[in-house]
Amino acid sequence: AAKLLKKQAQRNNGRPLKRDSQVQIKEEHYSKCQDCAKRIQKYVTKKLGEDWIFLVLLGLVMALVSWGVDYASAKTVQAYKWIYGALHPNVPLQYAAWVAVPLSLILFAASFCHFVSPQAVGSGIPELKTIMRGVVLKEYLTLKAFVAKVVALTAGLGSGMPVGKEGPFVHIASICAVVLSKFMSIFCGVYENGHRQLDLLVPACAVGVGCCFKAPLGGVLFSIEVTSTYFAVRNYWRGFFAATFSAFVFRVLAVWNKDAVTITALFRTNFRMDFPFDLQELPAFAIIGICSGFLGAFFVYLNRQVVLGIRRHKALSQFLTKYRLIYPAVITFCIASVTFPHGFGQFMAGEVRLETISTLFDNYTWIKHSGDTQILGKSAAWIHPKVSVFVTILLFFLVKFCMAVIATTMPIPCGGFMPVFVLGAAFGRLIGEIMASLFPNGILFDDILYQILPGGYAVIGAAALTGAVSHTVSTAVICFELTGQISHILPMMVAVILANMVAQSLQPSLYDSIIQVKKLPYLPDLGWNHISKYNIFVEDIMVQDVKFVSSNCKYRDLQEVLQSTTVKSLPLVDSPESMILLGSVERSELQALLQAHISPERRRLLNRERQQKLNEAPYDGPWANLPKLKHESFAYVDEDEDTEEKGEVREGSGQTEEGTGLGTQDSNAASSCKSDSPSFLCQIDAWEQEELDKNVCFDSCRVDPSPFQLVERTSLHKTHTLFSLLGLSHAYVTSMGKLRGVLALEEVSTHPLPSS
């Protein structure tokens, strides 16, 4: 203000302002520069905290991770093939190498996960569904889990075992989203919000699928179907943006590494576009869909029974828990032995075990080239001189089916999408070859013969079976992007929808099945029979014996409630007579309130206050009848907790002795009374009992004044919708403001259905 007045005075006099000193000039210049720098910093920080920056970073990081995993696993597979080929023609050594390489890689993956992060085992999608439901799972979204998942997944893919990368990559992308959100919170504090992080997991799941299959459109739709019961449209563009950027960068890296000539589909096919199929083939496509529905449900059932069978057998379960590497070692040894090309593997195309998909999508009809296999290239491995191609594909499907069911239960990062995708392609190829043999000259339409394309049947079978196992329709879109052709869109959608109809009526999805096996807190779908859900009400399934806390309760009542229940929050009512619901209180808040009231610190504080009052004036409280010696010795009881506190208390007690007129004999008596610990413990217990009989003061306790409430006649269907939409864990049932019961997620999940 003084400077402004001086400037105004100088301006009025018409003379320029004189600086007092050179230091003042520098300070003004520095302040202007500092202000400008702060404005620039604020603007840049605001821009860096925007969503598109986060999504670009997420897509870039996941593209690099996906490319790195694929590159490392591809090099491992090349080394695997080179070792096998270098040992030719020594069959025993080839067999040893064929088994030893995957065995060592799987054991390394299992050991690495066990020691670094056991949470990295499995797919990751079931846990993500639970986390996005609002449940907190510890250690699932940490850097340790990220490292374990990436390293072990690379080893698992390089081993050639029937495991996929789609589920693990959804988990990896979610971890990247959480870590990036913590980093981005430096620029924008909104990233620290828990609900904001849950919103960011949706595009992360889309990125995980998009960079895995290079299918951004299918990735977004698949992530929505698999992980979300209800989807917020505001996250739609985020998923597409991040998934598209990630898939684009991944394909650019493939071109840069000369793995591809240009940005093309992952499993490029060249089916004719003018007339890819005839309407007379639709019954065959429908058969593929219906059979895929039954096969998908059977796959989920077997997978669950394998896990539950091991858990039910206590001796076997304890043995495998103690020796964790035996189970994956036995499975890997059996799978590698069965697929050995010079053994049984020759009847199921064991030589192309690592390149099965590209051969199953082959444009050629194998049944027509059984005698001339040179034109088939790598697909010639499916032709055996003594066995029909139908038997070869059928054996491959049956054996691979059992392998995939068991391999996905190994304690390593593994997904079920790609193994099932291969199975579906093999089943579709089998139907396609059968159709080609039934119509060797093609199908006549409008005086023109159109040849059967078994490769198209393989694509449809892959989409149908994966859709049946995962209960999704977006697998059709993923297949379009994987193969680069949209010519079979109509039959593929027909097959996928039929497969979903059959599978959903028989079994839950693979991910929901794993949730059930792991007993994760997740709300399942109501199912198809929605009519009965309208006839069940909240009053039929609610818990009426509710543990509650009243506003006029005593600390003793609070202690009894906390000891008798383990719920995370308790309802707060006006009184036990009126039962008017006032709100809910977290269990941790009530525990802290009780502990603070009877804590040793508070006891020592009250003891010091009493001693000060004894020094100043006669004390007429409940302690007045106790001898002074006990007041002094009571201080010694509290000093046993800490060595430093002992010195402080002893000094304080010495001063008290002087102040109260205690002599040396009384002091010695107090010291001797210290050994009589039971009497002093009884005094502490008496003090606690006295404090527990006081009324609870909720002033320092955070109370939620508006917990979610339902009325007694709310239908189960509406209740299920509210729990799913809002991510509720429990709701209180009230009538005219009075608490009648409580409904938790468990009651909604295990609701009793009428026999009708």
Side-chain angles (χ1 to χ4, degrees), residues 76-286:
T76 306
V77 170
Q78 288 181 6
Y80 185 18
K81 291 180 180 179
W82 180 84
I83 294 173
Y84 173 77
L87 296 175
H88 182 76
N90 195 326
V91 176
L93 286 180
Q94 281 187 313
Y95 171 75
W98 186 264
V99 173
V101 173
L103 188 62
S104 59
L105 290 172
I106 292 296
L107 292 181
F108 167 76
S111 303
F112 194 84
C113 283
H114 175 66
F115 290 110
V116 177
S117 177
Q119 290 78 11
V121 171
S123 170
I125 289 182
E127 290 77 14
L128 256 296
K129 291 188 70 170
T130 308
I131 291 173
M132 294 179 70
R133 175 63 182 72
V135 180
V136 178
L137 297 180
K138 295 182 179 179
E139 304 296 328
Y140 268 94
L141 300 177
T142 59
L143 277 176
K144 289 172 58 179
F146 175 85
V147 173
K149 202 88 173 181
V150 171
V151 175
L153 177 63
T154 304
L157 294 175
S159 67
M161 291 293 104
V163 294
K165 57 179 285 193
E166 166 260 347
F169 257 80
V170 171
H171 189 188
I172 292 170
S174 301
I175 299 175
C176 281
V178 172
V179 175
L180 278 176
S181 64
K182 293 180 181 178
F183 170 74
M184 295 295 288
S185 62
I186 300 173
F187 306 104
C188 186
V190 72
Y191 287 96
E192 296 178 354
N193 189 290
H195 296 285
R196 173 70 169 178
Q197 291 185 359
L198 288 178
D199 278 348
L200 296 177
L201 289 180
V202 176
C205 295
V207 169
V209 181
C211 70
C212 181
F213 297 127
K214 299 83 196 171
L217 300 179
V220 173
L221 299 177
F222 185 83
S223 65
I224 294 173
E225 287 187 282
V226 168
T227 59
S228 303
T229 304
Y230 288 90
F231 180 74
V233 181
R234 64 178 178 272
N235 295 322
Y236 206 52
W237 76 270
R238 294 187 178 98
F240 273 112
F241 182 85
T244 302
F245 184 80
S246 178
F248 175 78
V249 173
F250 182 87
R251 296 309 292 164
V252 168
L253 289 173
V255 175
W256 172 76
N257 196 45
K258 298 181 180 179
D259 294 332
V261 178
T262 185
I263 300 178
T264 58
L266 189 61
F267 304 117
R268 183 71 181 176
T269 56
N270 296 308
F271 304 142
R272 61 175 182 267
M273 298 294 293
D274 54 347
F275 200 86
F277 64 93
D278 188 79
L279 289 177
Q280 301 176 54
E281 297 180 70
L282 283 179
F285 298 142

Side-chain angles (χ1 to χ4, degrees), residues 599-615:
S599 63
E601 291 80 8
R602 184 172 179 271
R603 190 169 66 239
R604 283 194 292 267
L605 178 63
L606 293 177
N607 184 45
R608 294 192 192 99
E609 293 177 355
R610 282 193 297 270
Q611 290 177 355
Q612 291 177 1
K613 289 181 179 179
L614 284 173
N615 294 336

